[in-house]
Amino acid sequence: FHPDERVAVKFVSDEDLAYVMLRYRQCHDFWHTLTGLPPTVAGEITLKWLELFQTNLPVAALSATVGTLRLSTKEQQDLQNVYLPWAIRVGT
């Protein structure tokens, strides 16, 4: 994977905002490396919570909320008791 291979941002008409969204998407995998979060469903959701606290982007809120529906009961408990408090602590 190379960040320059990301598809252009759609549905954002402002050129500056489109650039910000593109950079946001390009840096996503870098954040996995920095945080040590795995590219699993639980890792993605945790990273989306962190992104939400840092950026307040609606797409992060949607992903963080809806994504939890794919987690098992144990994963939901881990998210609530371990990963979400960590994301709050790191992201705020």
Side-chain angles (χ1 to χ4, degrees), residues 10-85:
K10 300 176 184 176
F11 312 114
V12 179
S13 58
D14 182 274
E15 188 175 310
D16 291 335
L17 292 178
Y19 173 78
V20 170
M21 288 304 299
L22 176 62
R23 293 299 293 162
Y24 164 74
R25 291 172 51 220
Q26 288 173 330
C27 293
H28 177 84
D29 293 331
F30 184 64
W31 280 105
H32 274 286
T33 302
L34 286 176
T35 60
L37 293 169
T40 61
V41 174
E44 292 290 340
I45 292 169
T46 304
L47 188 54
K48 286 300 176 186
W49 279 110
L50 177 61
E51 291 173 357
L52 173 61
F53 297 135
Q54 290 183 338
T55 66
N56 290 320
L57 286 171
V59 69
L62 180 64
S63 298
T65 304
V66 175
T68 59
L69 301 174
R70 296 189 59 199
L71 298 177
S72 68
T73 302
K74 169 78 168 94
E75 289 172 321
Q76 288 177 7
Q77 290 171 347
D78 288 345
L79 180 67
Q80 184 176 15
N81 297 324
V82 178
Y83 297 111
L84 188 52

